[in-house]
Amino acid sequence: MVEIKENLYEIIWKMQGPKHPFYNYDALESCADEIVDRLLKMGLKVKEQVFHVKGDERPYRNIVGYWDEIRPNCTLIGSHYDTVPFSPGANDNLSAVAISLELARLLSQENSKPNICFAFFTL
């Protein structure tokens, strides 16, 4: 149990900080990169849904992590990694991001992978 608490703390500490799409776009992108890196290191495959907002040329990404393939009726574990303006983000859903990543880490150690997909949304 101590390891889980330490991992959750480490994720939140590393990814904390404002990640508002208009005020802190670089931090938002850095957080998305960190999520992708962590999922890939756990052996999950990653799909990104890249989209644009009218009047904004910058790309935004929703990220989905899964094992092998996305199967019908998968259980979706979702969280968002953006924040409201000037928020440190720890409780503006970064806690859910940390729990999702830690659950993925724990399940990645199992021989039989459950039919679960992890979605990390922005905007």
Side-chain angles (χ1 to χ4, degrees):
M1 187 63 135
V2 171
E3 178 186 18
I4 293 171
K5 289 179 184 178
E6 290 173 355
N7 287 337
L8 292 172
Y9 181 81
E10 186 268 333
I11 292 167
I12 291 171
W13 184 254
K14 185 166 189 174
M15 294 186 194
Q16 72 173 330
K19 291 174 291 303
H20 187 271
F22 303 116
Y23 300 109
N24 310 96
Y25 181 80
D26 290 343
L28 182 72
E29 280 296 291
S30 178
C31 188
D33 291 341
E34 180 69 21
I35 291 168
V36 169
D37 287 347
R38 286 174 182 265
L39 292 171
L40 291 173
K41 286 178 183 171
M42 290 182 255
L44 283 89
K45 294 180 181 178
V46 173
K47 285 191 181 210
E48 294 187 21
Q49 176 195 32
V50 178
F51 61 96
H52 292 83
V53 175
K54 187 175 181 176
D56 187 351
E57 295 179 13
R58 299 172 299 180
Y60 295 96
R61 302 184 278 169
N62 291 330
I63 301 161
V64 178
Y66 59 96
W67 289 282
D68 300 321
E69 62 183 339
I70 299 176
R71 301 185 308 240
N73 301 317
C74 77
T75 300
L76 181 67
I77 307 293
S79 57
H80 70 88
Y81 63 94
D82 59 334
T83 68
V84 296
F86 316 112
S87 167
N91 287 322
D92 185 12
N93 219 236
L94 186 53
S95 54
V97 169
I99 289 169
S100 297
L101 288 170
E102 183 61 6
L103 178 60
R105 185 190 70 80
L106 292 168
L107 292 173
S108 71
Q109 298 171 0
E110 299 295 320
N111 291 329
S112 178
K113 304 298 187 262
N115 189 16
I116 293 178
C117 294
F118 298 91
F120 303 87
F121 303 103
T122 191
L123 301 189

